[in-house]
Every structure is written in C-alpha cells, then in structure tokens.
C-alpha cells in the first residue's frame, strides 16, 4: 500500500473550525503534515490553531466562492509547496421542511455542499495534475439513498456530490491513476450536525485521516463507511460465479 507523507506536500481540510474537520486536521498534524484548515469563522479557525499549533494554517474561505477558493489554494501552494491531500469535509445541514425552503435557501445549500466540493477539487486538481500524484477524499453520507425528514436540500446536495466523485474518476482515473479519489462516510457523529449519542468525531477522524494518507490507485472509486470498505453490489450472475469459484471478496478495514 502506498502512503502519502509530509514529504509529498501539505494537506487541506475544509470545514476545519470544529467537529470532524478539526479532528481530521488534528490527526494529520500529528502525522507530521502542515494542514491548511478552511472555514468561514475566523474565531473557530483560530481556536483550532491554538489547539493544534503552528502546523495548522487557518484559512478563512467560503468554499461556495469559486474565485476565492482558486486564489486561496494558489496562494497556499505558492507559500507551502506541493498539495498532497484534499479532504472535502465542509457542509451545512439546515434541517428545513421542503415547504420551509425557498429557492434561494435550497440553492445556497447546494452551492456549499456540492459547489464547495467542485470548487475545491478543481483548484486542487490544477496543482495535482502536473505532478500526477495526490489524494482527494470526499466526506459523504447515505442521505441520498435514505433521506431523513427535513433534509431535502442536504440529501440532494450530498447525493450529487457522490455523483461528482464518480464523474471526477471518469475524467482522471485512467490518465492520472496516481491521483486517488474516493468517498468516505464517517458514520453518525456526535457533532452539531449529528446526533447526541453518535460516534465521537475524534474516533472517526482516525479512520478518515488514515484513509486520506492511503494513495494506492486501487482505492480510486471505493467507498468506506467508518473503518470498513463498502463493497459494490453484485448481481445474481456474479453471485453464482463467486459461489462456483469459491470466491469471497472481503472488504478492507482501516
């Protein structure tokens, strides 16, 4: 298995002012990486820096603003060298009934949860493509498969982001296999966006940060939930062939 190290470059974690983003930044900093953490709240980012130290770079950035993202990533690369890892973590979960949404509020959620992934991935890939090496890990959910009540904008935006992952792989998977792109579902977390008895973000971040450092091309297109790979569904013919060949695929575990 190929792993990225701090010698390969720095990391970007979006939504690093609190919760899972802060915990992911901590894990990468402890692994020796310089981590640029983005967010809209300067005070929250400064608090993360106080907790993590000088290798955490607070970057006030609205991921829904494509121009700001492009300029911010360009500046980070100019100042800190190659970009090795991007974790697209930033998201909002408004918890609004569809009748309480407006076209503007729905579009704003889409622009952050989907547009933010597109903006950050585009900015990162412009720098990763010339070197042919890097890692993009998109924090995903099953919200598109089983939407909860009052989550229409969140579910649609996160589902579309999963499609974007597959679209990026269609564009880059064959010609730039050294850039590994995949989805990771951290589980139901004990955060503001999660549930009171969920998984502590510090635990989930250990899995996500390890996965983000894994840069083997055969991870492209995989989906991990918490610490375990989610295998793609097999049709009846595939299941019969597996049984005849006594073949059993085991999911990878972090």
């Amino acid at each position: 298995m190929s792993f990225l190290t701090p010698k390969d470059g720095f990391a970007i974690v979006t939504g690093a002012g609190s919760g899972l983003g802060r915990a992911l930044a901590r894990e990468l900093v402890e692994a020796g990486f310089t981590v640029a953490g983005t967010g809209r709240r300067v005070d929250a980012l400064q608090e993360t820096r106080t907790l993590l130290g000088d290798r955490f770079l607070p970057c006030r950035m609205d991921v829904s603003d494509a121009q700001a993202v492009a300029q911010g990533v360009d500046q980070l690369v100019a100042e800190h060298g190659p970009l090795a890892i991007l974790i697209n973590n930033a998201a909002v979960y408004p918890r609004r009934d569809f009748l309480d949404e407006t076209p503007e509020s729905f579009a704003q959620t889409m622009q952050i949860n989907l547009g933010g992934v597109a903006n950050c991935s585009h900015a990162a890939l412009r720098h990763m493509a010339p070197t042919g090496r890097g890692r993009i890990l998109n924090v995903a959910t099953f919200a598109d498969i089983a939407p909860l009540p009052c989550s229409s904008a969140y579910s649609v935006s996160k589902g579309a982001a999963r499609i974007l992952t597959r679209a990026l792989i269609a564009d880059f998977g064959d010609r730039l296999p050294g850039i590994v792109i995949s989805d990771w579902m951290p589980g139901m977390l004990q955060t503001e966006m999660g549930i009171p008895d969920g998984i502590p973000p510090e635990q989930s971040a250990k899995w996500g940060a390890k996965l983000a450092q894994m840069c083997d091309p055969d991870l492209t297109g995989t989906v991990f939930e918490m610490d375990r790979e989610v295998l793609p569904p097999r049709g009846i013919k595939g299941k019969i062939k597996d049984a005849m060949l006594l073949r059993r695929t085991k999911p990878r575990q972090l």
Side-chain angles (χ1 to χ4, degrees):
M1 178 63 69
S2 175
F3 284 85
L4 292 169
T5 72
K7 293 181 180 179
D8 293 298
F10 73 98
I12 294 176
V13 178
T14 67
S18 63
L20 180 61
R22 176 179 287 174
L24 287 165
R26 179 189 293 276
E27 290 295 321
L28 291 174
V29 164
E30 291 181 352
F33 286 89
T34 295
V35 178
T38 79
R40 291 181 290 180
R41 294 185 297 144
V42 174
D43 58 336
L45 293 173
Q46 289 296 340
E47 184 178 341
T48 303
R49 180 181 175 88
T50 299
L51 292 169
L52 303 189
D54 292 341
R55 281 208 300 269
F56 179 82
L57 310 174
C59 302
R60 186 182 183 279
M61 183 186 295
D62 181 352
V63 295
S64 69
D65 184 337
Q67 183 175 2
V69 170
Q71 291 175 347
V73 173
D74 286 350
Q75 183 176 347
L76 286 167
V77 171
E79 294 177 358
H80 302 285
L83 172 60
I85 296 171
L86 167 65
I87 302 182
N88 281 309
N89 167 72
V92 293
Y93 188 175
R95 289 185 172 87
R96 282 191 293 262
D97 181 85
F98 188 70
L99 289 177
D100 295 326
E101 291 279 8
T102 65
E104 293 77 17
S105 67
F106 196 96
Q108 178 64 14
T109 300
M110 292 291 294
Q111 187 57 36
I112 295 171
N113 294 359
L114 171 60
V117 176
N119 294 337
C120 294
S121 297
H122 187 273
L125 284 164
R126 286 191 298 108
H127 292 283
M128 292 178 178
T131 68
R133 184 167 167 82
R135 184 73 166 97
I136 296 178
L137 185 66
N138 294 327
V139 178
T141 76
F142 272 128
D144 58 319
I145 297 174
L148 295 172
C150 299
S151 69
S152 58
Y154 177 78
S155 299
V156 172
S157 60
K158 294 296 283 186
R162 293 183 70 187
I163 296 172
L164 177 59
T165 298
R166 299 197 295 273
L168 292 177
I169 292 167
D171 281 349
F172 297 103
D174 289 335
R175 78 175 192 263
L176 292 171
I179 300 176
V180 178
I181 306 171
S182 65
D183 284 331
W184 170 59
M185 293 175 285
M188 295 296 288
L189 299 176
Q190 193 182 75
T191 62
E192 292 180 6
M193 287 176 55
I195 56 177
D197 57 347
I199 303 167
E202 295 78 13
Q203 174 58 59
S204 191
K206 295 182 183 298
W207 304 324
K210 180 178 180 180
L211 186 57
Q213 294 171 71
M214 296 165 66
C215 198
D216 199 276
D218 70 0
L219 287 171
T220 287
T222 58
V223 177
F224 276 71
E225 182 178 13
M226 297 187 290
D227 65 337
R228 187 176 293 268
E229 182 181 10
V230 179
L231 295 176
R234 295 280 282 168
I236 187 66
K237 289 184 179 179
K239 291 179 180 178
I240 293 172
K241 182 183 289 186
D242 290 343
M244 292 178 64
L245 296 175
L246 301 178
R247 183 171 59 193
R248 183 178 180 183
T249 304
K250 292 184 179 181
R252 284 169 284 196
Q253 190 166 4
L254 299 172

